[in-house]
Amino acid sequence: MTTADLEAHFDAVIARRDRIEPRDWMPEAYRRTLIRQIAQHAHSEIIGMQPEGNWIGRAPSLRRKAILLAKVQDEAGHGLYLYSACETLGISRGELVELLLGGKQKYSSIFNYPTLSYADVGTIGWLVDGAAICNQVPLCRTSYGPYGRAMIRICKEESFHQRQGYELLMTMMRGTEEQRALVQESVDRFWWPSLMMFGPPDEHSPNSERSMAWGIKRHSNDELRQKFVDLTVPQAEVLGVRLPDPELSWNAEREHYDFGRPDWDELSAVIRGDGPCNAQRLAHRRKAHDDGAWVREAATAFAERGRDD
Amino acid sequence: MAFDGLLEGNSDQWAFGTDFDDPLAGLDVALPAALDPLEHARFCLGLADDALILSQRLAEWCSRAPDLEDDVALANLALDLLGQARLLLGRAALVDPAVVPVLPAGSPVPAEDALAFFRDAAAFRNVQLVELPNGDFAHVIVRLLMFSVARLELFQQLLSSADPVLAAVAARGVKELAYQRDWAGRWFVTLARGTSESRRRVLAALAGLWVHQAELAEAYGLSGGAVLERVFLAGGVAQPDSVVRVGGRGRDGMHTEALSLLLAEMQVVARAHPMGRW
């Protein structure tokens, strides 16, 4: 088959919304785009362990400690499946980790914000995992098979996490005045960064159009952001918290909520590396990686010796 | 309502259901007359505190392990021990309510949390081995190996405990501890026979932690050291000489300097909100 035939076959698979599998021919740019996106997603899971992991030691009840520890463990598990999905594209986990540690690949901007109270554990579950789910549910139908299948399992677990986060906030709102104030303060801090998780507005999203054409992405950043706002506003009302946006109001004509403009300069700064915790998050990961080097070497040496014996 | 999906929904739609299954479901929780409630509560509390404090130390490893697989494994071990701690704290509180610290009237804090978060260091009954600050990966492996071997041996005996609750806790715990022992044992041998660096580190960890073996063996009523001997042999490591350490025992409330610092972190949020709901 000529390259043109292969390309035609690839295009036909995409056009009928079928899956591309690891052994199928694919354009190099499609492979590179997927590696970038899946790796970024895997790195987000791994870096995302830190802000919540920060509160495991201080969880205020043993039940909450178990829930939080299990959640952060799930994130490590998600990182594992996603690195595996990425490896089917011909790159190793070790190479991907080096790209993360070298600052050559990104992770979600949201994890560059600090967690300052236990309420943040609930807010991250509700808003951050909620936004992640809006982004990720369409990826279950993404054109690359291993990625789509990993996403199905991840989305189930993320829904569970979102529900647990919301349940924590609900419980705190039924507690003391101080607890209610903690919830409100946390929502005030995380609302705008959560909206930024959908990425820059469509007119400034350089990679979006091609990803949509390839069926890697199914909805635009702004569509997903709107969907998240529409889902979240009634949830905030049930919870009894105020979302910190004076422009937030129902638009009967559009049948959507109108909302204010996120501070896109802040998002650019965080992506550039100037968020409150960028340096801290990478330094933590680099230290864990470096501290573990002798263990990985020992395991390799032991396995090789076993083969010789 | 917008929230049915999140709060009420059918548990089948969630990957792991809505809560953990209760190993004590349907069990008669009355303490048999043959057992002395005060003594039994004290026994449960010691076992609970060992699990709780080691779980806290293991959870500190979260996001810091040498590889993702080890991160997942360490979190699993921490969760297993936390589960044991909760059941045993609950048992101690039920058998002898006087062990539970008194909180302000109307506080919604359950007994297991009152015990975990509102006791000071001197009221904790854990052995000193579990409270020591974390070291490197060899340290966590050696500590887990010593601990899981001792605890598994005792839990196997507790399968036939006169207390049906303790027997049920042991039935679940035996499987968890066998996994813990195997995981730590495999890593011990791997490190001991890996590189000269890993061998140096595992020997250093063993030398540092072995001074706590006598207290552990006494608290768990260990008869011999056959399992440890086998692991040491597989790793080509000589069993260290036994050491008798002076300075009191954790089961009597005598601890190292590390425990009050650990508790300061663990208890800070709970203590700030004695009337809080979580």
Side-chain angles (χ1 to χ4, degrees):
Chain A
M1 277 211 277
T2 66
T3 306
D5 292 338
L6 291 166
E7 247 179 77
H9 177 75
F10 174 86
D11 291 343
V13 172
I14 297 289
R16 62 169 192 269
R17 296 196 154 211
D18 210 343
R19 304 264 209 205
I20 301 295
E21 295 298 338
R23 288 161 194 273
D24 294 344
W25 182 89
M26 62 188 83
E28 256 322 290
Y30 175 85
R31 183 188 302 275
R32 276 200 307 276
T33 300
L34 273 171
I35 288 177
R36 184 180 60 84
Q37 183 172 334
I38 302 173
Q40 186 165 320
H41 190 167
H43 300 329
S44 300
E45 297 284 357
I46 300 310
I47 298 288
M49 295 169 73
Q50 293 177 40
E52 288 177 284
N54 178 35
W55 286 92
I56 294 171
R58 289 172 287 174
S61 78
L62 297 181
R63 175 169 169 267
R64 289 294 170 196
K65 192 189 285 288
I67 289 173
L68 181 57
L69 183 53
K71 179 190 172 177
V72 178
Q73 183 192 37
D74 281 349
E75 288 167 2
H78 295 173
L80 275 173
Y81 328 142
L82 287 164
Y83 282 129
S84 301
C86 208
E87 286 187 314
T88 64
L89 292 159
I91 188 162
S92 72
R93 197 207 298 181
E95 289 171 283
L96 293 167
V97 168
E98 288 304 327
L99 289 167
L100 168 68
L101 296 179
K104 304 240 167 43
Q105 281 180 341
K106 307 274 186 209
Y107 54 87
S108 176
S109 56
I110 192 76
F111 301 120
N112 291 315
Y113 290 86
T115 49
L116 303 177
S117 84
Y118 203 78
D120 288 1
V121 170
T123 308
I124 288 178
W126 174 40
L127 294 180
V128 173
D129 294 338
I133 291 166
C134 284
N135 262 327
Q136 292 171 4
V137 165
L139 292 175
C140 297
R141 291 180 288 118
T142 194
S143 59
Y144 188 57
Y147 189 28
R149 288 187 289 272
M151 290 317 303
I152 290 171
R153 176 153 174 194
I154 289 173
C155 283
K156 275 190 196 164
E157 294 182 357
E158 292 292 354
S159 308
F160 188 50
H161 296 161
Q162 191 197 17
R163 166 162 139 151
Q164 287 172 327
Y166 190 75
E167 193 258 334
L168 168 61
L169 297 182
M170 276 293 228
T171 308
M172 289 181 71
M173 291 301 282
R174 284 197 297 266
T176 63
E177 205 49 59
E178 290 94 332
Q179 288 186 292
R180 280 188 284 279
L182 284 176
V183 174
Q184 182 63 55
E185 189 276 334
S186 173
V187 169
D188 288 345
R189 267 184 295 116
F190 273 97
W191 173 248
W192 290 109
S194 302
L195 291 189
M196 293 177 199
M197 285 175 66
F198 298 92
D202 292 346
E203 65 268 27
H204 298 298
S205 180
N207 300 312
S208 284
E209 204 177 317
R210 202 170 51 175
S211 286
M212 300 268 279
W214 276 334
I216 295 175
K217 230 173 135 154
R218 298 286 189 197
H219 302 280
S220 80
N221 294 354
D222 286 332
E223 282 167 21
L224 291 166
R225 192 167 7 248
Q226 180 72 60
K227 185 177 162 64
F228 173 68
V229 172
D230 290 348
L231 282 170
T232 307
V233 173
Q235 298 173 353
E237 283 165 9
V238 173
L239 190 57
V241 294
R242 198 176 58 251
L243 295 173
D245 179 359
E247 293 175 50
L248 194 64
S249 66
W250 178 250
N251 182 326
E253 203 174 306
R254 289 201 308 126
E255 298 200 324
H256 287 295
Y257 283 92
D258 290 336
F259 56 97
R261 181 180 170 281
D263 181 349
W264 298 123
D265 293 339
E266 177 177 319
L267 177 63
S268 308
V270 175
I271 291 175
R272 205 167 54 231
D274 297 333
C277 300
N278 295 59
Q280 176 190 335
R281 299 290 184 240
L282 266 188
H284 177 113
R285 188 88 295 275
R286 198 172 287 127
K287 181 170 185 337
H289 186 73
D290 293 348
D291 287 351
W294 68 270
V295 180
R296 295 189 299 271
E297 282 160 20
T300 306
F302 181 73
E304 280 168 3
R305 191 153 320 130
R307 275 199 289 278
D308 297 342
D309 285 348
Chain B
M1 200 167 56
F3 259 96
D4 285 356
L6 275 181
L7 274 187
E8 309 304 331
N10 171 350
S11 71
D12 294 344
Q13 74 191 89
W14 306 104
F16 299 110
T18 49
D19 220 328
F20 307 100
D21 51 323
D22 178 6
L24 308 184
L27 217 60
D28 177 10
V29 299
L31 189 69
L35 290 168
D36 171 52
L38 300 188
E39 206 175 289
H40 193 62
R42 196 185 158 87
F43 180 67
C44 289
L45 207 53
L47 293 179
D49 287 346
D50 286 345
L52 177 62
I53 300 301
L54 186 53
S55 171
Q56 179 80 3
R57 286 297 185 212
L58 290 173
E60 288 174 16
W61 271 95
C62 187
S63 80
R64 293 179 171 85
D67 238 329
L68 279 176
E69 287 82 352
D70 313 315
D71 222 299
V72 171
L74 285 164
N76 251 332
L77 305 181
L79 279 166
D80 286 347
L81 291 177
L82 183 54
Q84 292 179 16
R86 293 180 66 189
L87 293 168
L88 289 161
L89 288 174
R91 188 55 178 158
L94 194 68
V95 170
D96 178 14
V99 299
V100 183
V102 178
L103 291 177
S107 167
V109 173
E112 63 174 34
D113 292 334
L115 281 165
F117 299 106
F118 292 87
R119 276 182 299 160
D120 292 332
F124 274 77
R125 292 286 174 261
N126 57 280
V127 294
Q128 294 179 1
L129 174 74
V130 297
E131 72 200 30
L132 303 172
N134 281 333
D136 63 8
F137 189 72
H139 182 274
V140 72
I141 292 302
V142 173
R143 169 152 64 182
L144 269 171
L145 179 66
M146 288 164 60
F147 179 76
S148 58
V149 165
R151 195 164 169 99
L152 178 58
E153 194 173 312
L154 177 64
F155 270 44
Q156 275 159 344
Q157 294 163 23
L158 292 177
L159 291 172
S160 53
S161 167
D163 175 5
V165 172
L166 199 51
V169 171
R172 174 194 267 200
V174 158
K175 294 177 210 145
E176 296 167 344
L177 293 164
Y179 170 76
Q180 195 171 116
R181 178 200 60 187
D182 293 351
W183 188 81
R186 268 200 307 277
W187 264 118
F188 182 92
V189 175
T190 302
L191 297 180
R193 292 161 52 88
T195 61
S196 55
E197 170 74 357
S198 66
R199 184 171 178 84
R200 180 187 69 74
R201 285 178 183 259
V202 88
L203 292 175
L206 185 59
L209 290 167
W210 194 253
V211 295
H212 298 280
Q213 177 66 15
E215 184 197 355
L216 180 72
E218 188 192 342
Y220 280 82
L222 284 191
S223 44
V227 176
L228 276 183
E229 271 171 35
R230 282 219 303 282
V231 179
F232 290 151
L233 187 67
V237 171
Q239 173 147 326
D241 296 332
S242 59
V243 184
V244 180
R245 193 164 163 276
V246 295
R249 302 176 308 177
R251 286 281 189 267
D252 301 326
M254 193 60 74
H255 293 284
T256 65
E257 291 177 351
L259 183 63
S260 61
L261 275 171
L262 176 149
L263 295 179
E265 180 186 0
M266 187 175 92
Q267 299 177 335
V268 62
V269 180
R271 288 205 183 198
H273 301 275
M275 300 299 284
R277 282 177 200 281
W278 307 100

